[in-house]
Amino acid sequence: MTDTPSPHERRPQKIWLLALVPESPFGRWLAAAAILGLGAAVYGVAAWLVATYPERYARQFSPTVAAFFVAAVAYVVPVFHYITERTREALDSLAPRLPAQTLALARRSLTHKSTLWGVRTILAGVGLWLVQSRLLAGSWQYMVESLGQGYVAIVMDFGPLPVWLVMTAATRALVENATSFRRLAQEVRADVFSPPTFAPVGAMAVTSTLFILGALAVLPIMWLGGPISWWTTLPALLLFLPMIPVLLLLPIWPLHRRLVKQRQEALAEAQAAIDSARQASAADGGALASALALRREVVRLPVWPFDIGAVTRFLAYAVIVPLTWAGAALIEMLVNTIVGA
């Protein structure tokens, strides 16, 4: 007797993060603009209340923290859509070296998940938000009491929730994509002598890291408001920083091991040709030179599925984070100097 999949498993739904992006040439820009506009409206009301009743609301509101909440969501949604599109392009590049049915299932899994997947992901995001809120509040009682302090307290308390929801959904989907590529890499007919045959796997891995690295680059927005509790950032850093090596190495490691093995076999063949030429007569000097040249070329063969473009992109992504953090520190120092003067 075989297990019968549920109707939700048979008819997977489009990932809700992708559904937030309109199907148009400028869909990602429209989604980002809509999120920024909605965030400006929600927190604009809070800012108006603070300006009107400063003695009541001033301590409850941080404009830079609110800006971070909005900017993080406005970044993750379109970037996740972009990464998904690039991943699909990488899959299409592997089409000649994969079974058609395997490729079709992999492409489908990039954009569609079961309803249960969506529910579990949302519940995980809510749970992480509750844990962080508890760490910030110090007690569950204070968390509940803060909800009765008015509009400003409510939007600031619930502000991290959309961030946790989009970060959790995007992270889970990208890790599953990396796992899928890991399985596909074992089926790809890769040839160490032909790097273009496996370069799409490396390109996909590098592009996936843009999600985490970009989110880290947005963090300094929150810090510009002055000293903040470590609990506002530490849980996210502990959860998402390890995802960078996971997203980068998970899909390519089996392929890397195969390429290492192929190069070792090619080196053994080149060495056998060198030994054979050395044992031949002196008149066979051309064969020895060819064998030595072959060995030099084999030694230079890449065993990691990264081309120059992929490496350059990853370095550019990685440099953005310390630059933005350093820039935020400089801005904070400048503001403190001006205010102190």
Side-chain angles (χ1 to χ4, degrees):
M1 181 176 179
T2 58
D3 294 333
T4 302
S6 68
H8 292 315
E9 295 293 336
R10 289 198 301 266
R11 296 178 61 86
Q13 308 297 316
K14 191 173 186 179
I15 297 175
W16 62 270
L17 275 178
L18 297 176
L20 296 176
V21 178
E23 295 291 341
S24 70
F26 302 99
R28 288 191 286 266
W29 291 102
L30 292 174
I35 294 169
L36 290 173
L38 178 61
V42 170
Y43 291 104
V45 173
W48 175 81
L49 288 172
V50 172
T52 306
Y53 308 101
E55 66 285 350
R56 179 179 178 182
Y57 294 114
R59 292 185 178 181
Q60 300 175 359
F61 184 71
S62 171
T64 55
V65 173
F68 165 75
F69 294 157
V70 178
V73 178
Y75 170 80
V76 171
V77 171
V79 165
F80 176 73
H81 185 277
Y82 167 77
I83 292 173
T84 302
E85 290 295 315
R86 291 294 301 268
T87 303
R88 184 158 50 187
E89 293 173 5
L91 271 177
D92 292 341
S93 300
L94 297 174
R97 289 169 289 280
L98 285 172
Q101 185 176 6
T102 300
L103 182 67
L105 291 174
R107 293 181 86 256
R108 180 70 170 173
S109 69
L110 289 179
T111 57
H112 289 71
K113 303 290 184 183
S114 69
T115 302
L116 185 58
W117 184 96
V119 172
R120 286 175 174 173
T121 303
I122 290 174
L123 289 177
V126 172
L128 291 169
W129 165 68
L130 287 174
V131 170
Q132 184 194 35
S133 298
R134 169 62 176 78
L135 293 172
L136 286 169
S139 69
W140 295 109
Q141 180 180 356
Y142 183 80
M143 285 178 57
V144 175
E145 291 176 352
S146 67
L147 298 179
Q149 296 178 11
Y151 178 86
V152 177
I154 291 174
V155 297
M156 292 303 294
D157 287 344
F158 279 87
L161 178 57
V163 181
W164 279 112
L165 291 176
V166 298
M167 290 289 289
T168 303
T171 300
R172 182 179 180 185
L174 291 177
V175 170
E176 290 180 358
N177 291 347
T179 304
S180 176
F181 261 77
R182 181 185 179 88
R183 292 192 296 266
L184 292 176
Q186 298 174 358
E187 302 182 37
V188 171
R189 298 186 295 274
D191 182 3
V192 72
F193 286 96
S194 181
T197 63
F198 50 80
V201 179
M204 171 268 172
V206 168
T207 303
S208 296
T209 63
L210 175 62
F211 155 65
I212 300 292
L213 292 171
L216 292 176
V218 177
L219 274 176
I221 295 176
M222 180 166 49
W223 301 340
L224 292 175
I228 60 173
S229 171
W230 270 105
W231 294 124
T232 60
T233 55
L234 190 58
L237 291 176
L238 292 177
L239 284 172
F240 296 117
L241 270 178
M243 290 297 105
I244 297 175
V246 169
L247 293 175
L248 188 63
L249 297 177
L250 183 62
I252 67 171
W253 190 253
L255 183 57
H256 165 68
R257 294 178 63 183
R258 286 172 55 195
L259 294 174
V260 169
K261 183 178 179 181
Q262 288 184 16
R263 189 172 70 174
Q264 289 174 342
E265 293 172 350
L267 281 172
E269 293 176 2
Q271 187 61 48
I274 292 173
D275 295 340
S276 176
R278 291 179 62 188
Q279 294 173 5
S281 63
D284 201 15
L288 178 59
S290 297
L292 289 171
L294 174 61
R295 185 175 65 177
R296 285 195 299 270
E297 293 302 318
V298 170
V299 169
R300 297 173 184 171
L301 290 174
V303 292
W304 293 97
F306 301 119
D307 56 19
I308 296 299
V311 173
T312 302
R313 282 202 309 276
F314 179 72
L315 292 177
Y317 298 162
V319 166
I320 289 173
V321 177
L323 286 180
T324 55
W325 289 19
L330 290 174
I331 292 174
E332 185 70 17
M333 290 172 59
L334 179 61
V335 170
N336 290 337
T337 301
I338 295 175
V339 172

